Amino acid sequence: PVANATITPDPPAHQVRAGDPVTLRCSVQVGSAPVTFTWLHDGREVAQGPLLELGDVDVGHSGTYQCVATNRLDGHRVFRALSPELALEVTPWGHRDTAVALGVGRTLLFLVLLLGVVGGCHRWHRM
């Protein structure tokens, strides 16, 4: 019987940006052929086969993914192995970088203005 189904994401990060290609691979540690694979996204069946190629992901691809590996012994008994859930979070493109860049830009502007005020006050007192 099949056992120890696992998901390997490519890229290996659980957080990806919108527009990035993502592929999930399901494999089993134990199980005689033929093994079939069914993919679940948030508990709903979405695809068949050992690979789930999401292509250029968007925020709608966020959620949990699982694969169900199945095989038959003696043509009658069906065995299933459910993988652990893989949580995938898709962030809007540039969301994090834009926020950081905006924060750094504002901080630099504040420091330049502060230095200008301090320099102006210093000159005023010397006169």
Side-chain angles (χ1 to χ4, degrees):
V2 291
N4 299 333
T6 58
I7 299 174
T8 306
D10 182 30
H14 296 288
Q15 186 176 42
V16 295
R17 287 193 183 138
D20 288 349
V22 173
T23 300
L24 304 178
R25 176 183 304 276
C26 186
S27 59
V28 292
Q29 192 173 36
V30 177
S32 56
V35 178
T36 60
F37 299 94
T38 303
W39 287 95
L40 307 175
H41 177 219
D42 292 333
R44 290 185 301 269
E45 186 176 323
V46 293
Q48 299 282 325
L51 291 179
L52 178 61
E53 297 187 60
L54 300 176
D56 297 339
V57 296
D58 60 32
V59 176
H61 287 102
S62 293
T64 58
Y65 289 85
Q66 283 185 292
C67 71
V68 181
T70 307
N71 72 349
R72 293 178 184 265
L73 290 183
D74 66 29
H76 299 288
R77 292 183 293 174
V78 176
F79 296 91
R80 288 185 174 82
L82 184 63
S83 73
E85 289 185 343
L86 174 83
L88 184 68
E89 181 183 349
V90 180
T91 58
W93 210 98
H95 180 259
R96 192 177 329 139
D97 293 340
T98 302
V100 170
L102 188 59
V104 169
R106 287 180 180 167
T107 301
L108 287 175
L109 177 61
F110 175 76
L111 288 175
V112 168
L113 289 173
L114 183 62
L115 286 173
V117 169
V118 169
C121 288
H122 182 62
R123 284 189 189 150
W124 175 260
H125 285 290
R126 290 182 76 197
M127 294 174 108

